[in-house]
Amino acid sequence: MTTRPDPRPEHHPTPADLAGTSSSARPAAGAAAPAAPRAATGQRRDTGPQPTADRPHLVRTAAELRALTRGTGPRVAVMTMGALHAGHAELVRAARERAGTDGQVVVTVFVNPLQFGAGEDLDRYPRTLDADLAVAAAAGADVVFAPPVEEVYPGGEPQVRISAGPMGEVLEGASRPGHFDGMLTVVAKLLHLCAPDVACYGEKDAQQLALITRMVRDLNFPVEIVGVPTVREEDGLALSSRNRYLDAAERRTALTLSKALFAAVDRLAAEAALRTRAAAGAGPEAAAARASGLAALGEDREAADALALAHAVTSPPRTAAVARAAAQSVLDEAAGLRPPLELDYLALVDPRDFTEVDEDHTGEAVLAVAARVGTTRLIDNVRLSLGARA
């Protein structure tokens, strides 16, 4: 879903955050890029007023949505809680690309009461439907489905809900017990009501994306889940509605989240290059002899490089430890800034179940971080590939 605006003093990520943003990409122009022109869909509308260039078809009930002609291509859904921004627009553009000119892009706008816990004011959450329609249209949406609460939860709050299980109790789930149950319940209901072929969610809220992917697989939902990379601002900060609450000094501190993650990316790249050089060299004995000779000549930097090559041949690649250490070093320094970065967690997890990976893990992993700067809580992550010996 998407990064939702963060009523003060604090709100944790919501399913709407999933439609928002995320990515392991470096600062990209995506955050500031102008909205793509709305793609033609080549499909006929059977009910209700016709959409215009700046206003997609607005429907309020599942019956109205079912009555619309779907087109010959796939229906692709983007789920939000409204108050759309550039991150949501990027999701809609990704959905438009998946749908093609013959498919249909449906953006849901629904403020889910099950996601609001104690101290979170549901009534204060911004409702900006007219502005949302304009953002959705400019990014390529055909339909905005904005149901009332009674349409999604007829008869009141559901007695039967989706449980996130152990995967929903760690990291973000530990900070907000029960939140992921409410998120999965509304996502399941909206998937049933919209009946999409594909649904797009942002990678920034990686744990929520992983839970939705797992729910769809475990419960046999006939839909493909697609993760869309995080949109970043020019300075590298992951795009979020919460960024507006940061003053200049707080923003400088907040930048250490992305700096820590990219320090891990850079360190892994350096380790991989070192192992490649070592594999192409003359072997550990020759490298060690060269290091000894260089040290005797006082060439300390070259000797250290030769010794590192020798170790790269003989030692296992411990990339998990390297990634953690590189990120943690940056975060430790940020604790001394003014204002300081107050770290909640730094975790290197398996994207399939969000359990911490072992030191000898190879393959995909997610390096996730959450921290508070002043009164604002921020999250970010990057995807890493932890490799075996070259």
PDB file of all heavy atoms in Angstrom, residues 340-377:
ATOM      1  N   PRO A 340      20.246  13.473  17.969  1.00  0.00           N
ATOM      2  CA  PRO A 340      20.771  12.127  17.749  1.00  0.00           C
ATOM      3  C   PRO A 340      19.783  11.233  17.008  1.00  0.00           C
ATOM      4  O   PRO A 340      18.573  11.489  16.998  1.00  0.00           O
ATOM      5  CB  PRO A 340      20.990  11.609  19.171  1.00  0.00           C
ATOM      6  CG  PRO A 340      19.949  12.306  19.974  1.00  0.00           C
ATOM      7  CD  PRO A 340      19.826  13.686  19.367  1.00  0.00           C
ATOM      8  N   LEU A 341      20.324  10.200  16.406  1.00  0.00           N
ATOM      9  CA  LEU A 341      19.494   9.139  15.832  1.00  0.00           C
ATOM     10  C   LEU A 341      19.268   8.102  16.934  1.00  0.00           C
ATOM     11  O   LEU A 341      20.218   7.555  17.499  1.00  0.00           O
ATOM     12  CB  LEU A 341      20.206   8.495  14.643  1.00  0.00           C
ATOM     13  CG  LEU A 341      19.396   7.423  13.901  1.00  0.00           C
ATOM     14  CD1 LEU A 341      18.421   8.080  12.938  1.00  0.00           C
ATOM     15  CD2 LEU A 341      20.314   6.479  13.131  1.00  0.00           C
ATOM     16  N   GLU A 342      18.013   7.837  17.257  1.00  0.00           N
ATOM     17  CA  GLU A 342      17.666   6.852  18.272  1.00  0.00           C
ATOM     18  C   GLU A 342      17.255   5.559  17.557  1.00  0.00           C
ATOM     19  O   GLU A 342      16.134   5.437  17.066  1.00  0.00           O
ATOM     20  CB  GLU A 342      16.544   7.368  19.162  1.00  0.00           C
ATOM     21  CG  GLU A 342      16.900   8.645  19.904  1.00  0.00           C
ATOM     22  CD  GLU A 342      15.731   9.201  20.695  1.00  0.00           C
ATOM     23  OE1 GLU A 342      14.806   8.431  21.007  1.00  0.00           O
ATOM     24  OE2 GLU A 342      15.741  10.419  20.981  1.00  0.00           O
ATOM     25  N   LEU A 343      18.173   4.608  17.517  1.00  0.00           N
ATOM     26  CA  LEU A 343      17.964   3.396  16.747  1.00  0.00           C
ATOM     27  C   LEU A 343      16.950   2.484  17.415  1.00  0.00           C
ATOM     28  O   LEU A 343      17.028   2.213  18.616  1.00  0.00           O
ATOM     29  CB  LEU A 343      19.295   2.650  16.574  1.00  0.00           C
ATOM     30  CG  LEU A 343      19.265   1.386  15.724  1.00  0.00           C
ATOM     31  CD1 LEU A 343      18.903   1.713  14.276  1.00  0.00           C
ATOM     32  CD2 LEU A 343      20.622   0.684  15.780  1.00  0.00           C
ATOM     33  N   ASP A 344      15.986   2.016  16.641  1.00  0.00           N
ATOM     34  CA  ASP A 344      15.034   1.004  17.097  1.00  0.00           C
ATOM     35  C   ASP A 344      15.593  -0.378  16.783  1.00  0.00           C
ATOM     36  O   ASP A 344      15.754  -1.215  17.660  1.00  0.00           O
ATOM     37  CB  ASP A 344      13.678   1.215  16.417  1.00  0.00           C
ATOM     38  CG  ASP A 344      12.603   0.265  16.917  1.00  0.00           C
ATOM     39  OD1 ASP A 344      12.938  -0.693  17.647  1.00  0.00           O
ATOM     40  OD2 ASP A 344      11.425   0.458  16.573  1.00  0.00           O
ATOM     41  N   TYR A 345      15.910  -0.618  15.510  1.00  0.00           N
ATOM     42  CA  TYR A 345      16.527  -1.890  15.144  1.00  0.00           C
ATOM     43  C   TYR A 345      17.298  -1.757  13.843  1.00  0.00           C
ATOM     44  O   TYR A 345      17.018  -0.899  13.008  1.00  0.00           O
ATOM     45  CB  TYR A 345      15.488  -3.013  15.020  1.00  0.00           C
ATOM     46  CG  TYR A 345      14.430  -2.808  13.948  1.00  0.00           C
ATOM     47  CD1 TYR A 345      14.710  -3.014  12.590  1.00  0.00           C
ATOM     48  CD2 TYR A 345      13.146  -2.430  14.284  1.00  0.00           C
ATOM     49  CE1 TYR A 345      13.744  -2.837  11.622  1.00  0.00           C
ATOM     50  CE2 TYR A 345      12.167  -2.241  13.320  1.00  0.00           C
ATOM     51  CZ  TYR A 345      12.471  -2.446  11.993  1.00  0.00           C
ATOM     52  OH  TYR A 345      11.516  -2.250  11.029  1.00  0.00           O
ATOM     53  N   LEU A 346      18.301  -2.594  13.707  1.00  0.00           N
ATOM     54  CA  LEU A 346      18.976  -2.878  12.440  1.00  0.00           C
ATOM     55  C   LEU A 346      18.942  -4.385  12.307  1.00  0.00           C
ATOM     56  O   LEU A 346      19.440  -5.094  13.179  1.00  0.00           O
ATOM     57  CB  LEU A 346      20.410  -2.373  12.441  1.00  0.00           C
ATOM     58  CG  LEU A 346      21.240  -2.745  11.196  1.00  0.00           C
ATOM     59  CD1 LEU A 346      20.752  -2.002   9.962  1.00  0.00           C
ATOM     60  CD2 LEU A 346      22.727  -2.483  11.424  1.00  0.00           C
ATOM     61  N   ALA A 347      18.334  -4.893  11.260  1.00  0.00           N
ATOM     62  CA  ALA A 347      18.144  -6.331  11.124  1.00  0.00           C
ATOM     63  C   ALA A 347      18.449  -6.770   9.705  1.00  0.00           C
ATOM     64  O   ALA A 347      18.073  -6.098   8.736  1.00  0.00           O
ATOM     65  CB  ALA A 347      16.702  -6.721  11.491  1.00  0.00           C
ATOM     66  N   LEU A 348      19.143  -7.893   9.583  1.00  0.00           N
ATOM     67  CA  LEU A 348      19.420  -8.511   8.289  1.00  0.00           C
ATOM     68  C   LEU A 348      18.612  -9.793   8.241  1.00  0.00           C
ATOM     69  O   LEU A 348      18.903 -10.755   8.961  1.00  0.00           O
ATOM     70  CB  LEU A 348      20.907  -8.791   8.137  1.00  0.00           C
ATOM     71  CG  LEU A 348      21.381  -9.321   6.783  1.00  0.00           C
ATOM     72  CD1 LEU A 348      21.074  -8.338   5.662  1.00  0.00           C
ATOM     73  CD2 LEU A 348      22.868  -9.641   6.819  1.00  0.00           C
ATOM     74  N   VAL A 349      17.575  -9.807   7.412  1.00  0.00           N
ATOM     75  CA  VAL A 349      16.577 -10.870   7.492  1.00  0.00           C
ATOM     76  C   VAL A 349      16.358 -11.559   6.156  1.00  0.00           C
ATOM     77  O   VAL A 349      16.644 -11.005   5.088  1.00  0.00           O
ATOM     78  CB  VAL A 349      15.228 -10.317   8.004  1.00  0.00           C
ATOM     79  CG1 VAL A 349      15.379  -9.744   9.410  1.00  0.00           C
ATOM     80  CG2 VAL A 349      14.667  -9.253   7.058  1.00  0.00           C
ATOM     81  N   ASP A 350      15.841 -12.764   6.256  1.00  0.00           N
ATOM     82  CA  ASP A 350      15.406 -13.517   5.088  1.00  0.00           C
ATOM     83  C   ASP A 350      14.094 -12.913   4.599  1.00  0.00           C
ATOM     84  O   ASP A 350      13.137 -12.806   5.377  1.00  0.00           O
ATOM     85  CB  ASP A 350      15.214 -14.991   5.477  1.00  0.00           C
ATOM     86  CG  ASP A 350      14.954 -15.891   4.275  1.00  0.00           C
ATOM     87  OD1 ASP A 350      14.243 -15.464   3.341  1.00  0.00           O
ATOM     88  OD2 ASP A 350      15.442 -17.033   4.288  1.00  0.00           O
ATOM     89  N   PRO A 351      13.996 -12.489   3.331  1.00  0.00           N
ATOM     90  CA  PRO A 351      12.765 -11.839   2.859  1.00  0.00           C
ATOM     91  C   PRO A 351      11.551 -12.754   2.844  1.00  0.00           C
ATOM     92  O   PRO A 351      10.427 -12.278   2.751  1.00  0.00           O
ATOM     93  CB  PRO A 351      13.133 -11.386   1.438  1.00  0.00           C
ATOM     94  CG  PRO A 351      14.254 -12.272   1.021  1.00  0.00           C
ATOM     95  CD  PRO A 351      15.020 -12.568   2.273  1.00  0.00           C
ATOM     96  N   ARG A 352      11.763 -14.056   2.966  1.00  0.00           N
ATOM     97  CA  ARG A 352      10.631 -14.984   2.939  1.00  0.00           C
ATOM     98  C   ARG A 352       9.880 -15.032   4.256  1.00  0.00           C
ATOM     99  O   ARG A 352       8.665 -15.253   4.266  1.00  0.00           O
ATOM    100  CB  ARG A 352      11.110 -16.381   2.558  1.00  0.00           C
ATOM    101  CG  ARG A 352      11.705 -16.477   1.157  1.00  0.00           C
ATOM    102  CD  ARG A 352      12.399 -17.803   0.948  1.00  0.00           C
ATOM    103  NE  ARG A 352      13.535 -17.965   1.875  1.00  0.00           N
ATOM    104  CZ  ARG A 352      14.329 -19.024   1.886  1.00  0.00           C
ATOM    105  NH1 ARG A 352      14.116 -20.020   1.053  1.00  0.00           N
ATOM    106  NH2 ARG A 352      15.340 -19.084   2.735  1.00  0.00           N
ATOM    107  N   ASP A 353      10.569 -14.838   5.393  1.00  0.00           N
ATOM    108  CA  ASP A 353       9.888 -14.955   6.683  1.00  0.00           C
ATOM    109  C   ASP A 353      10.352 -13.937   7.720  1.00  0.00           C
ATOM    110  O   ASP A 353       9.878 -13.930   8.844  1.00  0.00           O
ATOM    111  CB  ASP A 353      10.062 -16.369   7.247  1.00  0.00           C
ATOM    112  CG  ASP A 353      11.530 -16.757   7.426  1.00  0.00           C
ATOM    113  OD1 ASP A 353      12.410 -15.865   7.333  1.00  0.00           O
ATOM    114  OD2 ASP A 353      11.799 -17.951   7.638  1.00  0.00           O
ATOM    115  N   PHE A 354      11.280 -13.067   7.347  1.00  0.00           N
ATOM    116  CA  PHE A 354      11.784 -11.994   8.195  1.00  0.00           C
ATOM    117  C   PHE A 354      12.453 -12.492   9.471  1.00  0.00           C
ATOM    118  O   PHE A 354      12.474 -11.808  10.493  1.00  0.00           O
ATOM    119  CB  PHE A 354      10.696 -10.962   8.496  1.00  0.00           C
ATOM    120  CG  PHE A 354      10.783  -9.792   7.545  1.00  0.00           C
ATOM    121  CD1 PHE A 354      10.568  -9.978   6.188  1.00  0.00           C
ATOM    122  CD2 PHE A 354      11.111  -8.535   7.997  1.00  0.00           C
ATOM    123  CE1 PHE A 354      10.673  -8.921   5.293  1.00  0.00           C
ATOM    124  CE2 PHE A 354      11.222  -7.463   7.117  1.00  0.00           C
ATOM    125  CZ  PHE A 354      11.001  -7.660   5.768  1.00  0.00           C
ATOM    126  N   THR A 355      13.052 -13.666   9.397  1.00  0.00           N
ATOM    127  CA  THR A 355      13.919 -14.133  10.468  1.00  0.00           C
ATOM    128  C   THR A 355      15.349 -13.695  10.167  1.00  0.00           C
ATOM    129  O   THR A 355      15.747 -13.565   9.011  1.00  0.00           O
ATOM    130  CB  THR A 355      13.871 -15.664  10.590  1.00  0.00           C
ATOM    131  OG1 THR A 355      14.258 -16.251   9.329  1.00  0.00           O
ATOM    132  CG2 THR A 355      12.473 -16.132  10.963  1.00  0.00           C
ATOM    133  N   GLU A 356      16.131 -13.435  11.232  1.00  0.00           N
ATOM    134  CA  GLU A 356      17.522 -13.034  11.061  1.00  0.00           C
ATOM    135  C   GLU A 356      18.299 -14.134  10.330  1.00  0.00           C
ATOM    136  O   GLU A 356      18.135 -15.319  10.622  1.00  0.00           O
ATOM    137  CB  GLU A 356      18.175 -12.770  12.412  1.00  0.00           C
ATOM    138  CG  GLU A 356      17.741 -11.455  13.051  1.00  0.00           C
ATOM    139  CD  GLU A 356      18.541 -10.267  12.536  1.00  0.00           C
ATOM    140  OE1 GLU A 356      19.512 -10.468  11.779  1.00  0.00           O
ATOM    141  OE2 GLU A 356      18.194  -9.129  12.907  1.00  0.00           O
ATOM    142  N   VAL A 357      19.134 -13.748   9.387  1.00  0.00           N
ATOM    143  CA  VAL A 357      19.911 -14.727   8.631  1.00  0.00           C
ATOM    144  C   VAL A 357      21.161 -15.108   9.409  1.00  0.00           C
ATOM    145  O   VAL A 357      21.674 -14.345  10.232  1.00  0.00           O
ATOM    146  CB  VAL A 357      20.305 -14.192   7.240  1.00  0.00           C
ATOM    147  CG1 VAL A 357      19.069 -13.819   6.432  1.00  0.00           C
ATOM    148  CG2 VAL A 357      21.251 -12.996   7.341  1.00  0.00           C
ATOM    149  N   ASP A 358      21.654 -16.318   9.163  1.00  0.00           N
ATOM    150  CA  ASP A 358      22.892 -16.787   9.768  1.00  0.00           C
ATOM    151  C   ASP A 358      24.087 -16.123   9.098  1.00  0.00           C
ATOM    152  O   ASP A 358      23.993 -15.572   7.992  1.00  0.00           O
ATOM    153  CB  ASP A 358      23.002 -18.310   9.633  1.00  0.00           C
ATOM    154  CG  ASP A 358      21.880 -19.034  10.372  1.00  0.00           C
ATOM    155  OD1 ASP A 358      21.431 -18.506  11.410  1.00  0.00           O
ATOM    156  OD2 ASP A 358      21.465 -20.106   9.901  1.00  0.00           O
ATOM    157  N   GLU A 359      25.239 -16.235   9.752  1.00  0.00           N
ATOM    158  CA  GLU A 359      26.455 -15.629   9.209  1.00  0.00           C
ATOM    159  C   GLU A 359      26.871 -16.253   7.882  1.00  0.00           C
ATOM    160  O   GLU A 359      27.533 -15.609   7.065  1.00  0.00           O
ATOM    161  CB  GLU A 359      27.602 -15.752  10.214  1.00  0.00           C
ATOM    162  CG  GLU A 359      27.399 -14.931  11.480  1.00  0.00           C
ATOM    163  CD  GLU A 359      27.187 -13.456  11.178  1.00  0.00           C
ATOM    164  OE1 GLU A 359      28.017 -12.871  10.465  1.00  0.00           O
ATOM    165  OE2 GLU A 359      26.175 -12.903  11.640  1.00  0.00           O
ATOM    166  N   ASP A 360      26.496 -17.512   7.644  1.00  0.00           N
ATOM    167  CA  ASP A 360      26.884 -18.177   6.399  1.00  0.00           C
ATOM    168  C   ASP A 360      25.770 -18.163   5.358  1.00  0.00           C
ATOM    169  O   ASP A 360      25.808 -18.899   4.378  1.00  0.00           O
ATOM    170  CB  ASP A 360      27.315 -19.619   6.688  1.00  0.00           C
ATOM    171  CG  ASP A 360      26.215 -20.443   7.339  1.00  0.00           C
ATOM    172  OD1 ASP A 360      25.156 -19.857   7.704  1.00  0.00           O
ATOM    173  OD2 ASP A 360      26.387 -21.664   7.503  1.00  0.00           O
ATOM    174  N   HIS A 361      24.767 -17.311   5.563  1.00  0.00           N
ATOM    175  CA  HIS A 361      23.642 -17.230   4.626  1.00  0.00           C
ATOM    176  C   HIS A 361      24.113 -16.767   3.254  1.00  0.00           C
ATOM    177  O   HIS A 361      24.918 -15.844   3.134  1.00  0.00           O
ATOM    178  CB  HIS A 361      22.593 -16.253   5.172  1.00  0.00           C
ATOM    179  CG  HIS A 361      21.413 -16.059   4.264  1.00  0.00           C
ATOM    180  ND1 HIS A 361      20.335 -16.909   4.260  1.00  0.00           N
ATOM    181  CD2 HIS A 361      21.139 -15.105   3.328  1.00  0.00           C
ATOM    182  CE1 HIS A 361      19.448 -16.490   3.381  1.00  0.00           C
ATOM    183  NE2 HIS A 361      19.910 -15.396   2.793  1.00  0.00           N
ATOM    184  N   THR A 362      23.613 -17.417   2.222  1.00  0.00           N
ATOM    185  CA  THR A 362      23.847 -16.972   0.857  1.00  0.00           C
ATOM    186  C   THR A 362      22.504 -16.759   0.171  1.00  0.00           C
ATOM    187  O   THR A 362      21.524 -17.424   0.492  1.00  0.00           O
ATOM    188  CB  THR A 362      24.679 -17.992   0.052  1.00  0.00           C
ATOM    189  OG1 THR A 362      23.980 -19.238   0.000  1.00  0.00           O
ATOM    190  CG2 THR A 362      26.039 -18.196   0.688  1.00  0.00           C
ATOM    191  N   GLY A 363      22.474 -15.827  -0.756  1.00  0.00           N
ATOM    192  CA  GLY A 363      21.236 -15.527  -1.460  1.00  0.00           C
ATOM    193  C   GLY A 363      20.653 -14.192  -1.026  1.00  0.00           C
ATOM    194  O   GLY A 363      21.348 -13.333  -0.486  1.00  0.00           O
ATOM    195  N   GLU A 364      19.360 -14.011  -1.270  1.00  0.00           N
ATOM    196  CA  GLU A 364      18.709 -12.738  -1.003  1.00  0.00           C
ATOM    197  C   GLU A 364      18.546 -12.488   0.492  1.00  0.00           C
ATOM    198  O   GLU A 364      18.320 -13.416   1.275  1.00  0.00           O
ATOM    199  CB  GLU A 364      17.337 -12.693  -1.676  1.00  0.00           C
ATOM    200  CG  GLU A 364      17.381 -12.698  -3.201  1.00  0.00           C
ATOM    201  CD  GLU A 364      18.099 -11.486  -3.765  1.00  0.00           C
ATOM    202  OE1 GLU A 364      17.759 -10.352  -3.357  1.00  0.00           O
ATOM    203  OE2 GLU A 364      19.006 -11.661  -4.588  1.00  0.00           O
ATOM    204  N   ALA A 365      18.653 -11.228   0.874  1.00  0.00           N
ATOM    205  CA  ALA A 365      18.408 -10.798   2.246  1.00  0.00           C
ATOM    206  C   ALA A 365      17.929  -9.349   2.209  1.00  0.00           C
ATOM    207  O   ALA A 365      18.147  -8.628   1.230  1.00  0.00           O
ATOM    208  CB  ALA A 365      19.666 -10.921   3.097  1.00  0.00           C
ATOM    209  N   VAL A 366      17.271  -8.936   3.279  1.00  0.00           N
ATOM    210  CA  VAL A 366      16.820  -7.555   3.424  1.00  0.00           C
ATOM    211  C   VAL A 366      17.504  -6.963   4.642  1.00  0.00           C
ATOM    212  O   VAL A 366      17.427  -7.523   5.745  1.00  0.00           O
ATOM    213  CB  VAL A 366      15.286  -7.472   3.597  1.00  0.00           C
ATOM    214  CG1 VAL A 366      14.861  -6.044   3.944  1.00  0.00           C
ATOM    215  CG2 VAL A 366      14.582  -7.929   2.328  1.00  0.00           C
ATOM    216  N   LEU A 367      18.187  -5.849   4.439  1.00  0.00           N
ATOM    217  CA  LEU A 367      18.775  -5.112   5.548  1.00  0.00           C
ATOM    218  C   LEU A 367      17.803  -3.981   5.877  1.00  0.00           C
ATOM    219  O   LEU A 367      17.600  -3.063   5.084  1.00  0.00           O
ATOM    220  CB  LEU A 367      20.145  -4.552   5.160  1.00  0.00           C
ATOM    221  CG  LEU A 367      20.920  -3.831   6.269  1.00  0.00           C
ATOM    222  CD1 LEU A 367      21.244  -4.782   7.424  1.00  0.00           C
ATOM    223  CD2 LEU A 367      22.207  -3.226   5.715  1.00  0.00           C
ATOM    224  N   ALA A 368      17.182  -4.080   7.058  1.00  0.00           N
ATOM    225  CA  ALA A 368      16.117  -3.155   7.437  1.00  0.00           C
ATOM    226  C   ALA A 368      16.532  -2.352   8.660  1.00  0.00           C
ATOM    227  O   ALA A 368      17.189  -2.869   9.564  1.00  0.00           O
ATOM    228  CB  ALA A 368      14.827  -3.923   7.730  1.00  0.00           C
ATOM    229  N   VAL A 369      16.103  -1.095   8.686  1.00  0.00           N
ATOM    230  CA  VAL A 369      16.439  -0.220   9.804  1.00  0.00           C
ATOM    231  C   VAL A 369      15.219   0.612  10.170  1.00  0.00           C
ATOM    232  O   VAL A 369      14.414   0.986   9.308  1.00  0.00           O
ATOM    233  CB  VAL A 369      17.638   0.693   9.444  1.00  0.00           C
ATOM    234  CG1 VAL A 369      17.304   1.619   8.281  1.00  0.00           C
ATOM    235  CG2 VAL A 369      18.098   1.492  10.646  1.00  0.00           C
ATOM    236  N   ALA A 370      15.063   0.864  11.467  1.00  0.00           N
ATOM    237  CA  ALA A 370      14.024   1.764  11.971  1.00  0.00           C
ATOM    238  C   ALA A 370      14.648   2.610  13.066  1.00  0.00           C
ATOM    239  O   ALA A 370      15.425   2.109  13.893  1.00  0.00           O
ATOM    240  CB  ALA A 370      12.833   0.982  12.510  1.00  0.00           C
ATOM    241  N   ALA A 371      14.324   3.894  13.073  1.00  0.00           N
ATOM    242  CA  ALA A 371      14.907   4.790  14.064  1.00  0.00           C
ATOM    243  C   ALA A 371      14.011   6.003  14.225  1.00  0.00           C
ATOM    244  O   ALA A 371      13.158   6.307  13.381  1.00  0.00           O
ATOM    245  CB  ALA A 371      16.319   5.223  13.641  1.00  0.00           C
ATOM    246  N   ARG A 372      14.230   6.698  15.329  1.00  0.00           N
ATOM    247  CA  ARG A 372      13.488   7.923  15.600  1.00  0.00           C
ATOM    248  C   ARG A 372      14.444   9.108  15.559  1.00  0.00           C
ATOM    249  O   ARG A 372      15.553   9.049  16.104  1.00  0.00           O
ATOM    250  CB  ARG A 372      12.822   7.832  16.976  1.00  0.00           C
ATOM    251  CG  ARG A 372      11.890   8.989  17.287  1.00  0.00           C
ATOM    252  CD  ARG A 372      11.282   8.824  18.667  1.00  0.00           C
ATOM    253  NE  ARG A 372      10.525   7.598  18.752  1.00  0.00           N
ATOM    254  CZ  ARG A 372       9.282   7.448  18.305  1.00  0.00           C
ATOM    255  NH1 ARG A 372       8.676   8.472  17.724  1.00  0.00           N
ATOM    256  NH2 ARG A 372       8.654   6.305  18.420  1.00  0.00           N
ATOM    257  N   VAL A 373      13.990  10.172  14.908  1.00  0.00           N
ATOM    258  CA  VAL A 373      14.704  11.446  14.910  1.00  0.00           C
ATOM    259  C   VAL A 373      13.729  12.475  15.464  1.00  0.00           C
ATOM    260  O   VAL A 373      12.704  12.760  14.836  1.00  0.00           O
ATOM    261  CB  VAL A 373      15.175  11.852  13.506  1.00  0.00           C
ATOM    262  CG1 VAL A 373      15.934  13.169  13.566  1.00  0.00           C
ATOM    263  CG2 VAL A 373      16.039  10.765  12.884  1.00  0.00           C
ATOM    264  N   GLY A 374      14.028  13.008  16.632  1.00  0.00           N
ATOM    265  CA  GLY A 374      13.049  13.869  17.282  1.00  0.00           C
ATOM    266  C   GLY A 374      11.804  13.073  17.599  1.00  0.00           C
ATOM    267  O   GLY A 374      11.860  12.023  18.246  1.00  0.00           O
ATOM    268  N   THR A 375      10.663  13.535  17.112  1.00  0.00           N
ATOM    269  CA  THR A 375       9.403  12.825  17.346  1.00  0.00           C
ATOM    270  C   THR A 375       8.974  11.987  16.147  1.00  0.00           C
ATOM    271  O   THR A 375       7.888  11.407  16.153  1.00  0.00           O
ATOM    272  CB  THR A 375       8.275  13.824  17.666  1.00  0.00           C
ATOM    273  OG1 THR A 375       8.105  14.723  16.572  1.00  0.00           O
ATOM    274  CG2 THR A 375       8.585  14.607  18.929  1.00  0.00           C
ATOM    275  N   THR A 376       9.815  11.937  15.125  1.00  0.00           N
ATOM    276  CA  THR A 376       9.447  11.250  13.883  1.00  0.00           C
ATOM    277  C   THR A 376      10.139   9.907  13.789  1.00  0.00           C
ATOM    278  O   THR A 376      11.357   9.814  13.923  1.00  0.00           O
ATOM    279  CB  THR A 376       9.825  12.103  12.656  1.00  0.00           C
ATOM    280  OG1 THR A 376       9.211  13.388  12.777  1.00  0.00           O
ATOM    281  CG2 THR A 376       9.359  11.448  11.366  1.00  0.00           C
ATOM    282  N   ARG A 377       9.364   8.855  13.553  1.00  0.00           N
ATOM    283  CA  ARG A 377       9.918   7.510  13.391  1.00  0.00           C
ATOM    284  C   ARG A 377       9.984   7.190  11.898  1.00  0.00           C
ATOM    285  O   ARG A 377       9.001   7.346  11.171  1.00  0.00           O
ATOM    286  CB  ARG A 377       9.059   6.476  14.114  1.00  0.00           C
ATOM    287  CG  ARG A 377       9.655   5.068  14.117  1.00  0.00           C
ATOM    288  CD  ARG A 377       8.821   4.127  14.973  1.00  0.00           C
ATOM    289  NE  ARG A 377       9.409   2.811  15.084  1.00  0.00           N
ATOM    290  CZ  ARG A 377       9.239   1.821  14.196  1.00  0.00           C
ATOM    291  NH1 ARG A 377       8.492   2.031  13.124  1.00  0.00           N
ATOM    292  NH2 ARG A 377       9.808   0.650  14.374  1.00  0.00           N
TER     293      ARG A 377
END
